[in-house]
C-alpha cells in the first residue's frame, strides 16, 4: 500500500456540496475523486509540456516510420 499524506485545503462551499452529492449518487469516495482529478491534471500538464517541446519537429513519412520500426 502506498504511503498516505494529509492534504487540507479550503474550497467553495457549493463546490464541496456538489462534490459530496456527486460522490454519494455514484457510490464514490471523495478522496478517490480528488486523487483522480489531481492525477489527471498532472498528467495533462506533462502531456502539454511534451507537446510544446516537440510541436516544431519535422514530420516523417509513413514509409520512413515503417523503416525505423523494422530496424
Amino acid at each position: 500500500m502506498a504511503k498516505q499524506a494529509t492534504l487540507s485545503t479550503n474550497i467553495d462551499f457549493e463546490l464541496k456540496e456538489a462534490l459530496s452529492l456527486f460522490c454519494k449518487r455514484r457510490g464514490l469516495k471523495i478522496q478517490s475523486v480528488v486523487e483522480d482529478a489531481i492525477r489527471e491534471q498532472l498528467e495533462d500538464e506533462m502531456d502539454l509540456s511534451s507537446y510544446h517541446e516537440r510541436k516544431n519537429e519535422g514530420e516523417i513519412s509513413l514509409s520512413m516510420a515503417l523503416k525505423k520500426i523494422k530496424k
Side-chain angles (χ1 to χ4, degrees):
M1 184 172 161
K3 290 183 179 181
Q4 298 287 310
T6 300
L7 173 67
S8 179
T9 188
N10 294 313
I11 63 172
D12 180 79
F13 178 81
E14 290 180 349
L15 180 59
K16 167 65 167 62
E17 290 297 311
L19 176 61
S20 295
L21 184 58
F22 173 85
C23 290
K24 187 174 184 176
R25 287 187 176 170
R26 287 171 176 76
L28 302 170
K29 293 184 179 186
I30 290 176
Q31 177 179 341
S32 296
V33 173
V34 171
E35 285 179 353
D36 289 345
I38 293 169
R39 189 175 293 109
E40 286 181 30
Q41 180 68 34
L42 293 172
E43 289 173 356
D44 288 349
E45 291 296 326
M46 288 188 297
D47 291 344
L48 189 56
S49 177
S50 294
Y51 165 76
H52 286 300
E53 289 174 8
R54 301 187 68 192
K55 71 179 180 180
N56 293 323
E57 287 183 3
E59 294 182 17
I60 63 170
S61 66
L62 177 58
S63 60
M64 184 63 92
L66 290 173
K67 285 180 186 177
K68 287 185 176 189
I69 292 171
K70 290 180 181 179
K71 287 184 180 179

